Amino acid sequence: MDYKPWGSGLLPEDVQVSCSPGDPTIIALGGELDTHTVVALEWVVTAILARHPRPRVIVMDLDEVGFLSVAGVRALHAATDRAAAHLVTFRVALGRRAIVRRALAVTGAEALLDIYPDRYAALDTGLRRVFDDLVRDL
């Protein structure tokens, strides 16, 4: 999948953000997601939710995140809530880094977030996608 750089120069230097157009929209983060860099996550989610048409699904790919602090976990939860307020499903793809999985497990966030082992699992949800469509139609 081709990614487009998102907001070069507008984000903290220690986080990289790439975003795919379309639906679902994939946000790929790299670097550290902590108190100083959560603004990147907040900024990009806000921008995506302001698009017209808005995507039905956002996948947050954390495969290249090397550190996830409690502030980062809170930002993921806030992004989930913000997306839900716009009837958008927010999925978190963990990737291969154990530190990300541990941060979500220790904080209990894995029970609150829509988590998948990787980007491909988040995109290939089969029946889950049908369920999301049915809920939106209610």
Side-chain angles (χ1 to χ4, degrees):
M1 174 169 290
D2 289 333
Y3 286 116
K4 298 190 310 187
W6 194 281
S8 299
L10 299 175
L11 301 174
E13 290 180 17
D14 32 353
V15 67
Q16 299 82 46
V17 179
S18 298
C19 185
S20 71
D23 192 6
T25 295
I26 301 171
I27 304 168
L29 290 180
E32 298 184 354
L33 190 55
D34 59 20
T35 304
H36 302 291
T37 60
V38 293
V39 66
L41 174 58
E42 294 165 357
W43 185 82
V44 74
V45 169
T46 299
I48 289 168
L49 293 174
R51 287 183 185 166
H52 186 73
R54 185 178 296 128
R56 293 180 310 154
V57 176
I58 297 172
V59 174
M60 177 63 59
D61 187 349
L62 303 177
D63 190 52
E64 294 297 322
V65 171
F67 178 73
L68 180 62
S69 74
V70 172
V73 172
R74 279 192 215 118
L76 290 171
H77 190 269
T80 299
D81 289 346
R82 188 175 306 123
H86 289 87
L87 301 177
V88 174
T89 301
F90 189 86
R91 298 180 181 146
V92 178
L94 296 177
R96 63 184 184 269
R97 309 234 179 174
I99 194 158
V100 171
R101 282 188 233 106
R102 266 191 311 252
L104 294 172
V106 168
T107 60
E110 65 185 5
L112 302 173
L113 300 174
D114 191 10
I115 294 179
Y116 297 83
D118 57 37
R119 175 189 328 162
Y120 304 106
L123 292 171
D124 186 31
T125 59
L127 293 176
R128 173 100 184 193
R129 187 172 302 137
V130 172
F131 177 76
D132 290 344
D133 291 342
L134 289 172
V135 169
R136 274 190 193 73
D137 291 339
L138 291 177

